[in-house]
Amino acid sequence: MKINIIEKDYGVCINNPKHFLAFSDFGVSDGIDIVENVNVVMAKDDFKSTARKAETFNQSKGSYIAQSTESLNYFKKTYGDLTIFTFMANDVVVEEFTQHLQVANSPKGFADARINLSHILYIDKVLSPKDLLKVFKVVANTKSRVFANMRLPLHIQNILNTDDFLAVLSDIPESENESLDINNAIYDDVDFEELKVRIEDAVEISIEDAFEKLELTFGILDYFVAEGILIGDLVDAGMGLVEDVCDELKQKMEAQILKSLSDINVVMLIAAAMRTEDDLNRNRIRENDNSDYLYVGEVLGMAISNQIAGTKAIFNFKRYYEAKPGIIYGLPPVLDGIFAGLIAGCISKIFEE
């Protein structure tokens, strides 16, 4: 079945003159509908304004469902009898922090920023309402799984898909009458397990493509932000065991921290520790019963200090790890070790110079 796509500056209409069977969470919808038009429109998020905008399409004489959005940025991919539309609304951009480091930021601030990846999936088959509902669940569950597996920084997870939408569409059975009894109609015999695998693949690819098109990537500074750790906090912690602190020394410390964070080995050690901390906090490791002394943070911290400034930095690591100045004191048992290691390595490096 060939579907039509009508684009206006205020919306996108997916049109099927022979009608869709649709299941959606759209603002203007009855849940399951037989419609000619599926509309995504720039409108206020309420029923009246969304419906009013949808009715302005040239196909307004046909029945429709409609959803409001803040962005009409979308792309379409077709895989045989599957067509997936991915709508992207994003308030986050990746900015240069230094020559070698970037950070994700938003002009709205992370309290109000949003990243919404929404989907409309059309299946060129005659599916029953029961199968259509199963497809809806497959798409929703796949999105949740893919996002969970991405392990994004917490402040990004908190703004991801807080206002996304989803619709799944299929063809309707042919009927000699104008009205269709969807409960007693004849539907295609579908190998649902095979269809499920293809839908999951299509949704996963669409999410990967969306992040690529939005140029959204995340690095070590974004994970620092997620932990509430600022570069200035690390500088202050580094000065905590230093006599005769001056602005020049603080500037050297900050520069050395940023330089060290451009070392992929340092970054990977920190990332490994953060992932370990997260796994421990969420009880993902069965063998962790909190009865044994956990010193993995110390091991990783010493490795970080050694990577930055060599063996001599390990002596400073012990000082910073035991004293836990500044922000280090409040960190959990793995993170305190790695940040003591980062600070000790940087302090050793700047005094060496």
Side-chain angles (χ1 to χ4, degrees):
M1 174 69 65
K2 178 176 174 54
I3 58 176
N4 305 309
I5 302 171
I6 300 95
E7 296 181 346
K8 304 285 187 179
D9 58 358
Y10 51 80
V12 176
C13 174
I14 304 170
N15 166 259
N16 181 353
K18 293 188 176 182
H19 292 78
F20 297 112
L21 181 63
F23 188 87
S24 75
D25 58 10
F26 278 18
V28 180
S29 171
D30 294 323
I32 191 157
D33 304 90
I34 296 175
V35 295
E36 182 178 338
N37 304 304
V38 178
N39 297 311
V40 178
V41 295
M42 298 283 287
K44 294 181 180 178
D45 188 16
D46 64 74
F47 183 92
K48 289 184 179 180
S49 61
T50 303
R52 189 162 50 247
K53 274 289 183 70
E55 288 169 357
T56 61
F57 277 110
N58 292 332
Q59 288 73 27
S60 60
K61 292 182 180 180
S63 55
Y64 67 87
I65 58 175
Q67 172 64 35
S68 64
T69 184
E70 294 181 354
S71 171
L72 295 175
N73 186 15
Y74 82 97
F75 61 93
K76 174 178 75 77
K77 284 198 170 183
T78 298
Y79 307 92
D81 55 7
L82 298 180
T83 299
I84 186 167
F85 298 81
T86 305
F87 286 81
M88 305 174 293
N90 172 47
D91 298 322
V92 176
V93 294
V94 177
E95 300 176 343
E96 298 292 330
F97 192 80
T98 69
Q99 183 179 358
H100 302 289
L101 292 170
Q102 296 176 309
V103 67
N105 206 350
S106 172
K108 291 186 176 181
F110 284 105
D112 298 317
R114 297 291 180 267
I115 303 172
N116 288 314
L117 302 182
S118 303
H119 291 89
I120 298 174
L121 179 70
Y122 167 60
I123 304 170
D124 188 7
K125 290 183 179 292
V126 180
L127 297 185
S128 68
K130 182 179 179 180
D131 281 341
L132 206 62
L133 175 58
K134 288 165 65 177
V135 169
F136 187 96
K137 290 180 178 179
V138 168
V139 176
N141 290 340
T142 302
K143 291 177 70 173
S144 296
R145 173 178 56 79
V146 171
F147 290 138
N149 289 342
M150 293 175 73
R151 301 281 184 89
L152 298 172
L154 183 59
H155 61 296
I156 301 299
Q157 293 180 38
N158 290 341
I159 66 172
L160 180 64
N161 272 19
T162 58
D163 193 27
D164 61 320
F165 56 84
L166 172 60
V168 293
L169 319 171
S170 69
D171 299 327
I172 64 170
E174 294 185 2
S175 175
E176 296 179 358
N177 304 318
E178 291 186 3
S179 60
L180 173 66
D181 181 1
I182 61 174
N183 293 317
N184 297 305
I186 298 175
Y187 297 98
D188 290 343
D189 185 14
V190 177
D191 181 348
F192 194 82
E193 287 304 311
E194 183 270 342
L195 179 62
K196 177 184 176 183
V197 171
R198 293 196 291 120
I199 291 172
E200 290 172 338
D201 289 344
V203 171
E204 185 166 356
I205 291 171
S206 77
I207 292 173
E208 293 172 355
D209 289 347
F211 273 86
E212 184 175 339
K213 290 178 182 294
L214 293 172
E215 297 182 338
L216 277 180
T217 56
F218 302 101
I220 195 63
L221 291 185
D222 300 305
Y223 288 94
F224 278 22
V225 172
E227 297 291 340
I229 296 170
L230 304 178
I231 299 298
D233 296 330
L234 298 177
V235 172
D236 290 341
M239 297 298 102
L241 301 184
V242 175
E243 296 181 0
D244 300 325
V245 175
C246 62
D247 289 341
E248 181 183 359
L249 190 60
K250 287 184 177 182
Q251 292 171 4
K252 287 183 177 180
M253 182 65 176
E254 179 176 344
Q256 183 57 54
I257 290 172
L258 295 174
K259 181 179 179 181
S260 297
L261 292 176
S262 65
D263 182 336
I264 187 60
N265 295 290
V266 171
V267 170
M268 289 298 99
L269 286 166
I270 294 173
M274 287 182 162
R275 180 61 57 85
T276 300
E277 189 76 66
D278 186 54
D279 286 341
L280 293 174
N281 288 339
R282 298 176 185 272
N283 295 314
R284 295 194 184 105
I285 307 300
R286 183 174 54 250
E287 288 75 14
N288 174 43
D289 60 5
N290 296 313
S291 62
D292 295 327
Y293 173 59
L294 187 69
Y295 55 85
V296 64
E298 295 175 62
V299 173
L300 292 172
M302 285 189 284
I304 290 170
S305 60
N306 182 67
Q307 175 65 23
I308 295 171
T311 307
K312 59 185 177 299
I314 294 177
F315 295 102
N316 269 329
F317 167 76
K318 292 184 180 299
R319 293 176 62 231
Y320 278 93
Y321 184 72
E322 291 173 1
K324 300 187 191 306
I327 194 174
I328 301 176
Y329 181 80
L331 294 176
V334 178
L335 296 189
D336 64 356
I338 63 163
F339 283 106
L342 176 65
I343 291 168
C346 292
I347 280 287
S348 301
K349 195 70 174 178
I350 61 176
F351 277 105
E352 170 191 314
E353 297 171 351

